[in-house]
Amino acid sequence: MTEKDNLLVRFDGETETISYKTSKNGVFQEDPVRPFGDEDMLDITTDARMDVSDLRDRSQGVSNLMSTATGEQNQYDDFHTIDWLKDLGRDRFRHRVIEHRAKENIWHRLRYLHDAWSGWVCVFLVGLTSGCVAGVVDISASWLTNLKEGICAEQFWFNQEHCCWSANDNDTSVNGCSQWFTWPELFGIYGDGAGAYLLRYMFYVIWALIFSSLAVLLVRVFAPYACGGGIAEIKTILSGFIIRGYLGKWTLLIKAVGVVLSTSAGLCLGKEGPLVHVACCCGNIFAHFFPKYGRNEAKKREILSAAAAAGVSVAFGAPIGGVLFSLEEVSYYFPMKTLWRSFFCAMVAAFVLRSINPFGNNRVAIFYLDYDVPWFFFELVPFMILGIFGGLFGAFFIRANSWWVRFKKASSFSKYPVSEVLLITLLTALVSFPNPYTRMSTLTLMERLFAQCGPADESDLCSYNRTFNQNDGKMQLGAPTAGLSHAMGLLFLALLFKIAFTIFTMGVKVPAGLYIPSLAIGAIAGRMLGVGVEQLVYHFPNFAPFKTECGSAGSKCVTPGLYAVVGACAALAGVTRMTVSLVVMMFEVTGGLPYIVPLMVATMMAKWVGDAIVPGSIYDRQIVMNNYPFLDNKDEFNYTTIAADVMQPRPNEPPLGVLTQDSMRLAEVSTRGDSQKGRDQPGVLGTRLGVTDSESSPPLAPCSEQEWGMTTRSGSA
């Protein structure tokens, strides 16, 4: 008969004792060893491990449990999964010890208070650092993006907008700002001739190649983990997987610098996803200053969840959306206290970013909607169409990008990451420069697509034959001009360009986010559809839904900018399959709380259509392609196989004896147990003895405990 040893730690209020529980010949007995003093329960000490050395010789299981209980640091190997129950049990034991010692003296009381507020201090530091890093990234990316067009003569570190502010020039166009010089103007070439155009074209391509080459070389030499967006890996890490170095200091530095360079190069990528990775790097670094989190991998993931919320908060200026993003999309273990700390961390990060004011508008929101016309019920149909487009685009993008990544791995492309980045950058710069909607930065493009046409707006997107009614202050509808038709053609080409190059850009060895390109694609499609609906209302004013909602002919009741916002939300929902967090994030980014219903409609349509074609988000597909051991806790697994169907005996041994949960008498169970004596195989009993059925799988009980349990139950009966 085998012997089973267990360690019991009893807390009697004043003293703690260790009891050594053994089972021999089916009889359990407790053998007290010695008093368990306070010095034996220190958190991370060598003394505590030495105090229980007399128990190590008696049972290896006891030594393992004691090293866990006394807080011995458990270093997991790289690419291994943590033991959630073990780490959380260690933390509960450590907390009970500290709470018990707090009654002894003032020093232990201070240690108890420090342990209580250490989590709040840690997330405060994470939010503070994340906000500072995001502010520097935003300012640097804006300056380098404008550097491809020209330079400020007086203060070269200013971008075009700040340069014109310093010169007190209200007109920030190229020819209207006296302090801003384009590259042809620095060489004495003025005007819009062929020579000036070619020189601007050449400098645009050269700067793009310089920025992208620096980004890929930094990643390749110093931090290979800094490439990509990082959301898929963060989801895997938060689920309990260990990837050493992915959240290290070098990854933080290279990711922050590389995302500035890659976005400034004009590639079809964004910096918002990498900022989540940057914030999690900050969380991992600061967690090591607090042993409560740094030496416990399960507790460390509470800090990383809060850091992910701070990353979205500074990326979009959406603190509440960041908390919901962490809860819905990336977090695996999210207790209530983590929700509060995530909220606090996102709040601190948003406050710091607002204090830095990188966008110069005194607002955290990147885009601010100020529409003077509400949405109407007949517009729910085009909003649903945008949702369907978002789902179709998301499914197509996931399949196309997955095919491209698999093709690169199977071909020689993966052997030349630097050449791949330079080739994609060259093609992107050559194709994007002729089209003004692809030449400008993606944030500037989205700002123009979201904007409402005003009476003084002279852009091609607002080129209508319309008038402004001074009596009611409303814009009157009008027929489109040639400028609007030309803008729609350029937007259609920009849509095709963004879709194609985003597919091929995602997966290159530079920091690359997916949020902004997806939003831009949806915004372009939404703006085009919005202009179409606006013209339908203009040409068919007596159609029943239009006449009922819009009133008299000629009145403006459709805002194309709103369609751009809804389309952007639908496209991102189709790619990421986010719902609640995305809707909240979008109305925080735009300040468009009155338009939350259209956002919800488009988001749900995009998710339904996308899941019907390709289940799972782009991050789920990346996890599968990278072979990460991620088990989604939101998935449902309906298995009907029982243990007897899958377990097989060892070679040259008789068949296994199976004990079913019901329909067996005690005599049958005893006879079956006697026939299995001497075989190191578990049995299956009723749930009171901790045994399994076909739908649940708690730990199996060895045969000795089963026999003791049956004896106890029969005796009590």
Side-chain angles (χ1 to χ4, degrees):
M1 184 71 66
T2 60
E3 178 179 80
K4 178 176 177 62
D5 301 328
N6 291 298
L7 180 68
L8 301 180
V9 181
R10 292 191 175 182
F11 290 84
D12 298 328
E14 300 295 335
T15 61
E16 300 83 21
T17 60
I18 297 179
S19 295
Y20 200 62
K21 187 176 182 181
T22 62
S23 62
K24 298 180 180 179
N25 300 323
V27 179
F28 278 72
Q29 58 185 3
E30 295 186 8
D31 302 323
V33 178
R34 61 174 177 80
F36 196 38
D38 288 340
E39 297 301 324
D40 299 323
M41 297 190 294
L42 291 175
D43 184 23
I44 317 298
T45 62
T46 56
D47 294 335
R49 294 194 296 270
M50 295 174 61
D51 288 341
V52 295
S53 59
D54 57 324
L55 296 179
R56 295 182 181 271
D57 297 334
R58 300 186 62 179
S59 171
Q60 183 65 30
V62 175
S63 62
N64 293 336
L65 183 56
M66 282 303 301
S67 63
T68 299
T70 55
E72 182 179 351
Q73 185 173 357
N74 190 2
Q75 289 291 344
Y76 295 99
D77 294 331
D78 197 9
F79 293 101
H80 282 67
T81 304
I82 69 173
D83 190 334
W84 285 94
L85 295 178
K86 179 179 178 181
D87 285 356
L88 293 177
R90 290 172 57 206
D91 182 72
R92 285 193 295 267
F93 188 88
R94 181 199 56 80
H95 180 73
R96 292 178 65 182
V97 171
I98 295 178
E99 186 179 18
H100 179 72
R101 285 183 172 181
K103 305 174 183 179
E104 296 180 357
N105 51 50
I106 187 63
W107 172 248
H108 289 298
R109 182 64 179 175
L110 292 177
R111 288 188 60 186
Y112 173 76
L113 294 177
H114 169 72
D115 181 78
W117 70 54
S118 60
W120 295 98
V121 175
C122 186
V123 296
F124 172 79
L125 295 175
V126 172
L128 182 66
T129 308
S130 300
C132 293
V133 173
V136 174
V137 167
D138 290 334
I139 295 174
S140 303
S142 176
W143 176 65
L144 290 181
T145 300
N146 290 148
L147 190 62
K148 294 187 299 182
E149 300 283 347
I151 193 171
C152 187
E154 296 295 333
Q155 296 91 6
F156 70 91
W157 57 88
F158 280 176
N159 59 14
Q160 181 179 352
E161 187 177 12
H162 292 164
C163 180
C164 296
W165 284 353
S166 64
N168 294 324
D169 288 342
N170 294 327
D171 188 2
T172 59
S173 62
V174 174
N175 298 324
C177 183
S178 60
Q179 296 296 329
W180 182 262
F181 290 88
T182 62
W183 294 112
E185 292 174 348
L186 289 177
F187 290 93
I189 303 177
Y190 295 88
D192 297 327
Y197 181 82
L198 291 176
L199 196 57
R200 287 198 301 270
Y201 205 154
M202 181 183 67
F203 271 96
Y204 185 89
V205 175
I206 291 175
W207 280 116
L209 290 173
I210 292 175
F211 294 154
S212 62
S213 61
L214 288 176
V216 68
L217 289 176
L218 287 174
V219 170
R220 183 176 177 82
V221 174
F222 296 101
Y225 282 150
C227 65
I231 302 296
E233 287 76 11
I234 290 173
K235 286 185 64 174
T236 307
I237 291 173
L238 289 178
S239 69
F241 193 58
I242 301 293
I243 306 179
R244 299 292 180 192
Y246 197 83
L247 302 178
K249 55 184 181 297
W250 276 107
T251 305
L252 167 63
L253 178 61
I254 301 303
K255 190 84 170 187
V257 176
V259 72
V260 172
L261 295 171
S262 60
T263 54
S264 302
L267 295 172
C268 293
L269 46 81
K271 61 180 183 295
E272 284 66 26
L275 284 178
V276 178
H277 187 186
V278 168
C280 288
C281 290
C282 296
N284 180 67
I285 293 172
F286 281 111
H288 285 85
F289 292 97
F290 302 89
K292 174 182 178 180
Y293 300 100
R295 297 174 178 175
N296 191 309
E297 292 292 339
K299 294 292 293 181
K300 182 190 296 184
R301 273 140 184 83
E302 298 180 9
I303 302 297
L304 297 181
S305 296
V312 174
S313 175
V314 297
F316 293 98
I320 301 178
V323 176
L324 295 177
F325 167 82
S326 179
L327 174 61
E328 177 185 3
E329 186 65 19
V330 297
S331 293
Y332 197 85
Y333 174 68
F334 205 84
M336 184 60 66
K337 58 182 177 182
T338 303
L339 177 65
W340 301 335
R341 289 171 182 169
S342 299
F343 182 82
F344 177 71
C345 187
M347 179 194 69
V348 172
F351 174 78
V352 173
L353 186 66
R354 167 64 178 80
S355 301
I356 297 175
N357 193 20
F359 306 110
N361 54 9
N362 293 322
R363 291 193 300 265
V364 177
I366 304 176
F367 316 104
Y368 185 74
L369 304 182
D370 191 17
Y371 301 149
D372 53 7
V373 177
W375 65 276
F376 299 96
F377 285 103
F378 74 87
E379 294 181 290
L380 288 177
V381 176
F383 292 153
M384 295 174 64
I385 295 176
L386 287 176
I388 296 174
F389 166 79
L392 294 175
F393 162 72
F396 170 75
F397 176 82
I398 292 173
R399 285 189 172 178
N401 183 253
S402 301
W403 171 84
W404 173 244
V405 172
R406 288 194 299 266
F407 173 77
K408 289 195 302 181
K409 290 182 178 180
S411 62
S412 59
F413 272 94
S414 59
K415 301 179 181 179
Y416 308 99
V418 178
S419 301
E420 178 191 2
V421 171
L422 294 179
L423 178 61
I424 292 180
T425 303
L426 178 62
L427 294 176
T428 303
L430 291 175
V431 177
S432 63
F433 185 84
N435 190 336
Y437 295 115
T438 55
R439 183 196 315 169
M440 66 180 63
S441 66
T442 309
L443 290 178
T444 304
L445 172 63
M446 293 174 59
E447 186 176 2
R448 295 192 179 184
L449 294 175
F450 291 170
Q452 179 181 228
C453 293
D457 200 332
E458 298 179 356
S459 65
D460 288 342
L461 289 175
C462 299
S463 182
Y464 298 91
N465 291 322
R466 57 175 65 183
T467 58
F468 186 74
N469 193 333
Q470 298 292 341
N471 296 327
D472 56 7
K474 293 184 179 181
M475 182 75 68
Q476 301 298 316
L477 283 176
T481 63
L484 181 62
S485 302
H486 180 67
M488 291 297 103
L490 293 178
L491 281 180
F492 180 74
L493 295 177
L495 178 64
L496 298 179
F497 167 82
K498 291 286 186 182
I499 293 176
F501 276 86
T502 303
I503 291 174
F504 294 108
T505 303
M506 290 298 111
V508 297
K509 300 303 180 180
V510 296
L514 185 60
Y515 286 172
I516 289 299
S518 301
L519 290 173
I521 291 172
I524 294 174
R527 183 78 185 206
M528 296 174 63
L529 180 62
V531 172
V533 174
E534 184 184 45
Q535 292 306 306
L536 284 177
V537 174
Y538 172 74
H539 288 93
F540 303 97
N542 294 324
F543 184 56
F546 300 158
K547 186 175 182 180
T548 303
E549 300 287 349
C550 300
S552 60
S555 62
K556 182 179 182 301
C557 66
V558 176
T559 305
L562 175 60
Y563 286 76
V565 176
V566 176
C569 184
L572 186 56
V575 174
T576 63
R577 308 296 163 84
M578 294 189 299
T579 53
V580 179
S581 59
L582 178 58
V583 172
V584 175
M585 192 187 308
M586 286 301 298
F587 81 70
E588 281 188 286
V589 167
T590 60
L593 184 59
Y595 309 103
I596 190 171
V597 173
L599 295 175
M600 295 173 66
V601 170
T603 300
M604 288 309 304
M605 289 297 300
K607 180 173 175 58
W608 287 337
V609 173
D611 285 338
I613 302 175
V614 179
S617 66
I618 182 64
Y619 305 123
D620 298 328
R621 185 61 62 93
Q622 290 174 353
I623 290 173
V624 173
M625 290 190 299
N626 292 325
N627 295 322
Y628 292 140
F630 178 77
L631 184 62
D632 196 344
N633 54 4
K634 295 186 290 292
D635 291 341
E636 296 181 1
F637 301 94
N638 297 320
Y639 293 119
T640 58
T641 305
I642 61 176
D645 297 331
V646 297
M647 295 182 64
Q648 299 294 332
R650 294 190 181 96
N652 302 323
E653 287 192 0
L656 295 178
V658 180
L659 306 182
T660 59
Q661 182 175 352
D662 49 11
S663 72
M664 289 191 69
R665 297 178 179 274
L666 183 59
E668 296 175 343
V669 174
S670 179
T671 303
R672 188 67 56 85
D674 292 337
S675 64
Q676 297 295 317
K677 287 184 179 181
R679 301 183 62 185
D680 188 16
Q681 296 172 350
V684 181
L685 284 179
T687 54
R688 287 190 61 185
L689 295 180
V691 195
T692 184
D693 54 21
S694 60
E695 299 181 355
S696 60
S697 55
L700 297 175
C703 294
S704 59
E705 292 193 23
Q706 295 172 16
E707 184 178 354
W708 173 81
M710 288 185 294
T711 304
T712 304
R713 294 179 66 184
S714 61
S716 61

